[in-house]
Amino acid sequence: MLEEIKKHIAEVATFTATSKEEIETFRIKYLGQKGLLKTFFAEFKNVPNEQKKEFGQVVNELKTTAEAKVNSLKEALESSEESKGIYGDLSRPGEVLELGSSHPITLVKNKIIEIFSRIGFNVSEGPEIEDDWHNFTALNLPEYHPARDMQDTFFIQTNPDVLLRTHTSSVQVRYMENNKPPIRTISPGRVYRNEAISARSHCFFHQVEGLYVDKGVSFADLKQTLQYFTTEMFGKSKIRLRPSYFPFTEPSAEVDVYWGLETETDYKMTKGTGWLEIMGCGMVDPNVLENCGIDSEVYSGFAFGMGIDRIALLLNQIPDIRMFSENDIRFLEQFKSSL
Ligand code: PHE
């Protein structure tokens, strides 16, 4: 029996543990209600008298060793937890802070704004829910004008005078009503058209329209401004203007930029022509100026409008316009370092 107890003392002395659970199991084994020490103390009465003294000493030694061991293990464990503190393990490698990114439409919009602000254009905004006057009538599109069908309109059912703007030209009307020439403003914003949703078109998209009104503004000024824009935006200075029709401008033109045919993508993007259509433009129709309270005998102006989505698709080689509004993080996070 003495030998057995001495073995336990040696075992206790070398015991180590790293968790609370292990320490507790150890404590119960030796010091618990039904622990070994209880058993050994109970044996005491059976020990012959001449051995009682030595037996008592050895059992006591086992008791103090076991108690000291439990205390020291607990202390060691607590102090190692304390050193981690509220920050946990300080030696762990840092976690990377994920930064968000601007939406590709925003990136293109900001670049366009920046380019025009360098030549004195300010930014104007207006409501997405418009009335007939600002979206159509003031822009030389009176009721029953066939050109209203050029843009399929979402009407707010209960009131035919209230609609979702089909272009940001409505903002230009508002701007002219409230500001005197000289006017140099660009109007970015979301517009709505009742079109079938596909990879190429959506029922809402984004535009930037520009307006310049002053004395003696000519078509040459328009052309020069557009050329400045395409050079800054795309690094391409060769443009061409094809005659076109818009009710609010006269004459009107469609603007193509020469993209080139150097790569296969150029070829695909331009359908083998090298030319890319990027916007509509023209000299503001005198009727529009008059509708907005500007004397068309004194002032003239030009206007232009382009789709931001289309440009963002082109610049980033995105195959489907619907990706812009799906909010798929895998798509969006690709634009972290763009533009
Ligand atoms: N408002 C026209 C559109 O939405 C674009 C445009 C603006 C054309 C200004 C000419 C002048 O298609």
Side-chain angles (χ1 to χ4, degrees), residues 151 166-167 169 172 193 207 209 246 248-249 280-282 303-305:
Q151 303 169 352
T166 57
H167 50 190
S169 304
Q172 307 183 336
R193 290 183 198 175
Q207 283 190 329
E209 297 213 357
F246 297 104
F248 28 86
T249 47
C281 69
F304 55 87

Side-chain angles (χ1 to χ4, degrees), residues 12 31 37 57 59-70:
V12 167
L31 304 163
L37 276 157
Q57 277 173 351
V59 176
N60 266 326
E61 192 187 335
L62 177 61
K63 186 175 175 238
T64 46
T65 324
E67 281 171 352
K69 193 68 178 190
V70 169

Side-chain angles (χ1 to χ4, degrees), residues 7-8 11-12 15 21-40 62 66 70:
K7 242 199 247 160
H8 279 300
E11 217 173 88
V12 167
F15 177 78
E21 290 73 27
E22 280 175 273
I23 300 172
E24 185 60 8
T25 319
F26 173 82
R27 190 192 64 78
I28 292 167
K29 180 179 171 190
Y30 288 99
L31 304 163
Q33 286 300 320
K34 293 175 182 164
L36 282 172
L37 276 157
K38 278 265 153 65
T39 327
F40 293 138
L62 177 61
V70 169

Side-chain angles (χ1 to χ4, degrees), residues 43-323:
E43 274 303 312
F44 193 69
K45 57 181 185 299
N46 304 326
V47 176
N49 274 346
E50 67 277 12
Q51 287 178 19
K52 272 199 176 16
K53 188 178 169 204
E54 196 189 353
F55 185 86
Q57 277 173 351
V58 177
V59 176
N60 266 326
E61 192 187 335
L62 177 61
K63 186 175 175 238
T64 46
T65 324
E67 281 171 352
K69 193 68 178 190
V70 169
N71 288 339
S72 70
L73 284 176
K74 271 190 185 165
E75 255 169 44
L77 190 69
E78 267 164 27
S79 74
S80 83
E81 269 169 8
E82 239 165 53
S83 75
K84 287 182 193 160
I86 51 169
Y87 301 109
D89 181 359
L90 291 178
S91 62
R92 210 177 56 198
E95 277 167 30
V96 183
L97 248 188
E98 284 285 338
L99 282 184
S101 54
S102 292
H103 193 281
I105 300 272
T106 309
L107 291 168
V108 171
K109 181 185 84 174
N110 288 348
K111 188 164 179 190
I112 297 172
I113 290 175
E114 200 258 318
I115 291 169
F116 280 105
S117 71
R118 267 188 263 150
I119 52 169
F121 281 73
N122 67 9
V123 175
S124 49
E125 286 182 337
E128 292 183 13
I129 299 175
E130 262 300 0
D131 51 37
D132 186 283
W133 169 257
H134 292 100
N135 196 78
F136 290 127
T137 308
L139 287 161
N140 214 21
L141 277 149
E143 208 181 343
Y144 303 121
H145 192 292
R148 284 194 177 205
D149 294 341
M150 283 166 76
Q151 303 169 352
D152 286 319
T153 311
F154 283 116
F155 290 95
I156 310 275
Q157 253 179 0
T158 49
N159 188 347
D161 188 40
V162 185
L163 45 93
L164 294 176
R165 66 181 180 198
T166 57
H167 50 190
T168 51
S169 304
S170 56
V171 183
Q172 307 183 336
V173 173
R174 286 177 181 276
Y175 196 87
M176 285 190 277
E177 284 172 343
N178 295 312
N179 295 277
K180 297 255 153 302
I183 288 170
R184 267 184 244 113
T185 189
I186 54 168
S187 321
R190 181 174 286 181
V191 301
Y192 301 82
R193 290 183 198 175
N194 191 3
E195 280 172 20
I197 298 172
S198 71
R200 305 254 88 220
S201 72
H202 212 298
C203 61
F204 65 82
F205 55 98
H206 306 78
Q207 283 190 329
V208 175
E209 297 213 357
L211 175 71
Y212 187 4
V213 182
D214 203 350
K215 286 179 186 154
V217 176
S218 71
F219 203 88
D221 297 324
L222 168 60
K223 210 175 154 187
Q224 190 64 48
T225 306
L226 296 178
Q227 196 179 31
Y228 158 77
F229 171 71
T230 60
T231 311
E232 295 299 307
M233 186 74 195
F234 309 113
K236 318 267 182 197
S237 57
K238 192 168 162 186
I239 58 170
R240 74 177 180 196
L241 282 84
R242 282 178 291 111
S244 184
Y245 171 75
F246 297 104
F248 28 86
T249 47
E250 182 59 36
S252 305
E254 213 81 60
V255 184
D256 296 344
V257 55
Y258 190 69
W259 203 261
L261 280 172
E262 272 159 39
T263 67
E264 206 181 318
T265 353
D266 292 348
Y267 211 85
K268 262 195 232 155
M269 269 163 64
T270 64
K271 300 198 179 85
T273 65
W275 292 97
L276 210 59
E277 183 189 320
I278 53 155
M279 65 171 111
C281 69
M283 299 307 291
V284 181
D285 192 301
N287 285 343
V288 176
L289 294 177
E290 294 295 336
N291 284 341
C292 300
I294 293 173
D295 188 347
S296 63
E297 297 289 324
V298 182
Y299 294 103
S300 58
F302 65 71
F304 55 87
M306 65 190 116
I308 307 179
D309 305 60
R310 225 177 88 75
I311 295 176
L313 287 176
L314 285 171
L315 290 179
N316 298 298
Q317 300 293 311
I318 298 165
D320 193 325
I321 196 170
R322 288 169 290 196
M323 292 171 121

